[in-house]
Amino acid sequence: MSAVDVAYELFIGGAFQPGSRGERSTLLDPATNRPLAEIAVGHSDDAAHAMEVAETAFRSSDWATDDGARRARALFRLAQLLE
């Protein structure tokens, strides 16, 4: 790791994991160009894996089978909470 003590992995399927190729990059503060953290670098195979995991989670949840009105109410409530 460079001059930082903070490291982040990819977050896929509710868990942190390194990129499939093990690559890392230093995230720089754009104002000072100083290192902020070391981050895992994801590639197309990581993205494909993340999409497969998300699709499985969506298909196995109630969200996929709920009617549109219920989903709309949930999203509206989320928007209110975020405001």
Side-chain angles (χ1 to χ4, degrees):
M1 202 177 300
S2 69
V4 295
D5 294 327
V6 179
Y8 295 102
E9 304 299 331
L10 302 177
F11 190 71
I12 299 173
F16 290 100
Q17 58 190 43
S20 60
R21 299 182 190 175
E23 291 180 44
R24 304 204 56 82
S25 182
T26 301
L27 179 66
L28 300 176
D29 181 332
T32 64
N33 211 35
R34 291 186 178 153
L36 292 174
E38 287 291 318
I39 57 173
V41 175
H43 292 277
S44 59
D45 44 344
D46 297 304
H49 174 64
M51 290 186 296
E52 290 169 7
V53 169
E55 175 75 12
T56 299
F58 176 74
R59 295 287 172 215
S60 65
S61 72
D62 292 337
W63 186 261
T65 57
D66 278 347
D67 68 351
R70 184 172 173 189
R71 289 193 303 254
R73 285 191 303 273
L75 290 172
F76 182 72
R77 178 69 180 134
L78 176 61
Q80 288 178 318
L81 292 170
L82 290 172
E83 286 180 345

